[in-house]
Amino acid sequence: MAEIKFKLVETIGTISESNKGWVKELNLISWNERAPKYDLRDWAPDHVKMGKGITLSKDELIVLRDILNQMEI
Amino acid sequence: MAEIKFKLVETIGTISESNKGWVKELNLISWNERAPKYDLRDWAPDHVKMGKGITLSKDELIVLRDILNQMEI
Protein backbone atom coordinates (compact mmCIF):
# COMPACT_ATOMS: atom_id res chain seq x y z
CA MET A 1 0.00 0.00 0.00
CA ALA A 2 1.29 3.45 -0.85
CA GLU A 3 2.33 5.50 2.12
CA ILE A 4 -0.02 8.29 3.06
CA LYS A 5 1.77 11.49 3.92
CA PHE A 6 -0.02 13.73 6.36
CA LYS A 7 0.73 16.75 8.45
CA LEU A 8 -1.27 17.54 11.56
CA VAL A 9 -1.71 21.28 11.17
CA GLU A 10 -3.86 21.92 14.24
CA THR A 11 -5.69 19.96 16.93
CA ILE A 12 -9.00 21.77 17.29
CA GLY A 13 -10.45 19.61 20.02
CA THR A 14 -10.40 16.24 21.74
CA ILE A 15 -13.77 14.49 21.74
CA SER A 16 -13.00 11.45 23.87
CA GLU A 17 -10.24 9.17 25.11
CA SER A 18 -10.48 5.39 25.46
CA ASN A 19 -8.91 3.50 28.36
CA LYS A 20 -6.23 2.26 25.96
CA GLY A 21 -5.19 5.84 25.28
CA TRP A 22 -6.73 6.21 21.82
CA VAL A 23 -8.27 9.63 21.30
CA LYS A 24 -11.03 10.84 19.03
CA GLU A 25 -10.04 14.28 17.76
CA LEU A 26 -11.12 17.03 15.44
CA ASN A 27 -8.00 18.12 13.61
CA LEU A 28 -6.96 20.20 10.66
CA ILE A 29 -4.87 17.85 8.52
CA SER A 30 -3.01 18.21 5.27
CA TRP A 31 -3.06 14.93 3.31
CA ASN A 32 -0.31 14.37 0.74
CA GLU A 33 0.70 18.03 0.92
CA ARG A 34 -2.73 19.22 -0.25
CA ALA A 35 -4.70 22.05 1.36
CA PRO A 36 -5.67 21.10 4.93
CA LYS A 37 -9.11 19.63 5.67
CA TYR A 38 -11.05 19.11 8.84
CA ASP A 39 -10.72 15.54 10.03
CA LEU A 40 -12.65 13.62 12.69
CA ARG A 41 -10.72 10.49 13.59
CA ASP A 42 -9.47 8.04 16.23
CA TRP A 43 -5.74 8.10 16.95
CA ALA A 44 -3.34 5.98 18.95
CA PRO A 45 -1.29 7.78 21.62
CA ASP A 46 1.07 10.41 20.10
CA HIS A 47 -0.66 10.02 16.71
CA VAL A 48 1.58 7.07 15.77
CA LYS A 49 -1.37 5.13 14.31
CA MET A 50 -4.59 6.42 12.79
CA GLY A 51 -7.96 4.75 13.09
CA LYS A 52 -11.17 5.21 11.19
CA GLY A 53 -12.30 8.69 10.40
CA ILE A 54 -13.89 11.11 8.03
CA THR A 55 -12.72 14.33 6.43
CA LEU A 56 -14.99 17.35 6.22
CA SER A 57 -14.88 20.65 4.39
CA LYS A 58 -15.58 23.90 6.23
CA ASP A 59 -19.06 24.03 4.67
CA GLU A 60 -19.80 20.48 5.87
CA LEU A 61 -18.60 21.36 9.36
CA ILE A 62 -21.02 24.31 9.45
CA VAL A 63 -23.96 22.11 8.38
CA LEU A 64 -22.96 19.49 10.96
CA ARG A 65 -22.82 22.16 13.68
CA ASP A 66 -26.31 23.37 12.75
CA ILE A 67 -27.68 19.80 12.78
CA LEU A 68 -26.15 19.15 16.22
CA ASN A 69 -27.58 22.40 17.57
CA GLN A 70 -31.06 21.33 16.50
CA MET A 71 -30.83 17.96 18.27
CA GLU A 72 -32.10 17.48 21.80
CA ILE A 73 -28.86 16.14 23.26
CA MET B 1 -15.04 -10.78 4.85
CA ALA B 2 -17.91 -11.31 7.26
CA GLU B 3 -21.03 -9.47 6.34
CA ILE B 4 -21.87 -6.47 8.48
CA LYS B 5 -25.49 -6.28 9.43
CA PHE B 6 -26.83 -2.83 10.00
CA LYS B 7 -30.16 -1.14 10.41
CA LEU B 8 -30.59 2.52 9.66
CA VAL B 9 -32.77 3.58 12.58
CA GLU B 10 -32.99 7.30 11.79
CA THR B 11 -31.48 9.84 9.41
CA ILE B 12 -30.82 12.87 11.58
CA GLY B 13 -29.42 15.12 8.89
CA THR B 14 -27.73 15.32 5.49
CA ILE B 15 -24.43 17.17 5.57
CA SER B 16 -23.57 17.24 1.87
CA GLU B 17 -24.16 15.54 -1.46
CA SER B 18 -21.53 14.91 -4.13
CA ASN B 19 -22.26 15.26 -7.83
CA LYS B 20 -22.20 11.45 -8.10
CA GLY B 21 -25.07 11.26 -5.62
CA TRP B 22 -23.09 10.10 -2.59
CA VAL B 23 -24.32 11.75 0.59
CA LYS B 24 -22.61 12.47 3.89
CA GLU B 25 -25.15 11.87 6.64
CA LEU B 26 -25.54 11.82 10.38
CA ASN B 27 -27.57 8.72 11.17
CA LEU B 28 -28.58 6.60 14.10
CA ILE B 29 -27.46 3.10 13.14
CA SER B 30 -27.68 -0.28 14.82
CA TRP B 31 -24.65 -2.46 13.91
CA ASN B 32 -25.03 -6.23 14.20
CA GLU B 33 -28.26 -5.80 16.15
CA ARG B 34 -26.55 -3.88 18.96
CA ALA B 35 -27.88 -0.68 20.52
CA PRO B 36 -27.90 2.12 17.93
CA LYS B 37 -25.02 4.60 17.73
CA TYR B 38 -24.62 7.94 16.03
CA ASP B 39 -22.77 7.53 12.76
CA LEU B 40 -21.22 10.13 10.46
CA ARG B 41 -20.59 8.54 7.07
CA ASP B 42 -20.62 8.78 3.27
CA TRP B 43 -23.25 6.68 1.49
CA ALA B 44 -24.00 5.77 -2.11
CA PRO B 45 -27.50 6.62 -3.36
CA ASP B 46 -30.21 4.68 -1.49
CA HIS B 47 -27.63 3.50 1.09
CA VAL B 48 -26.64 0.53 -1.11
CA LYS B 49 -22.92 1.08 -0.37
CA MET B 50 -21.25 2.64 2.64
CA GLY B 51 -18.12 4.72 2.56
CA LYS B 52 -15.75 5.81 5.28
CA GLY B 53 -17.18 7.03 8.51
CA ILE B 54 -17.01 7.19 12.25
CA THR B 55 -19.38 6.17 15.02
CA LEU B 56 -19.98 8.43 17.99
CA SER B 57 -21.68 8.04 21.34
CA LYS B 58 -24.17 10.64 22.56
CA ASP B 59 -21.54 12.05 24.94
CA GLU B 60 -19.05 12.39 22.07
CA LEU B 61 -21.67 14.12 19.95
CA ILE B 62 -22.27 16.67 22.73
CA VAL B 63 -18.52 17.39 23.04
CA LEU B 64 -18.24 17.71 19.24
CA ARG B 65 -21.18 20.15 19.22
CA ASP B 66 -19.53 22.28 21.89
CA ILE B 67 -16.20 22.28 19.99
CA LEU B 68 -17.95 23.34 16.77
CA ASN B 69 -19.81 26.11 18.59
CA GLN B 70 -16.51 27.54 19.82
CA MET B 71 -14.96 27.65 16.34
CA GLU B 72 -15.13 30.73 14.20
CA ILE B 73 -16.76 29.13 11.20
Side-chain angles (χ1 to χ4, degrees):
Chain A
M1 215 173 91
E3 197 181 343
I4 297 167
K5 283 179 71 172
F6 74 92
K7 188 186 170 199
L8 205 167
V9 178
E10 184 191 347
T11 296
I12 300 164
T14 301
I15 292 154
S16 64
E17 183 169 348
S18 77
N19 47 21
K20 287 183 178 173
W22 281 67
V23 288
K24 188 169 271 152
E25 290 179 343
L26 180 63
N27 291 304
L28 201 52
I29 291 183
S30 166
W31 300 97
N32 294 315
E33 298 181 354
R34 295 202 194 94
K37 285 189 169 185
Y38 295 103
D39 185 273
L40 190 60
R41 187 173 303 276
D42 289 309
W43 294 89
D46 300 323
H47 299 100
V48 289
K49 275 195 280 184
M50 64 176 70
K52 289 181 183 173
I54 194 169
T55 60
L56 298 139
S57 68
K58 184 178 172 180
D59 286 347
E60 289 173 331
L61 218 54
I62 291 169
V63 176
L64 176 60
R65 179 196 63 194
D66 294 346
I67 290 170
L68 294 178
N69 283 330
Q70 283 172 17
M71 290 173 71
E72 288 176 8
I73 53 174
Chain B
M1 213 172 91
E3 196 182 343
I4 298 168
K5 283 180 72 174
F6 74 92
K7 188 185 170 200
L8 204 167
V9 179
E10 185 192 347
T11 296
I12 299 163
T14 301
I15 291 153
S16 64
E17 182 168 350
S18 76
N19 47 22
K20 287 184 180 172
W22 280 67
V23 288
K24 189 170 272 157
E25 290 179 343
L26 179 63
N27 291 305
L28 201 52
I29 291 182
S30 165
W31 300 97
N32 294 316
E33 299 180 353
R34 293 200 196 95
K37 285 188 167 186
Y38 294 104
D39 185 273
L40 192 59
R41 187 174 303 275
D42 290 309
W43 294 89
D46 300 323
H47 299 101
V48 289
K49 274 194 280 187
M50 65 176 70
K52 289 180 184 173
I54 194 169
T55 59
L56 298 138
S57 68
K58 184 178 172 181
D59 286 348
E60 289 173 332
L61 218 54
I62 291 169
V63 176
L64 176 60
R65 179 196 64 195
D66 294 345
I67 290 170
L68 294 177
N69 283 330
Q70 282 172 17
M71 291 173 70
E72 289 176 5
I73 52 173

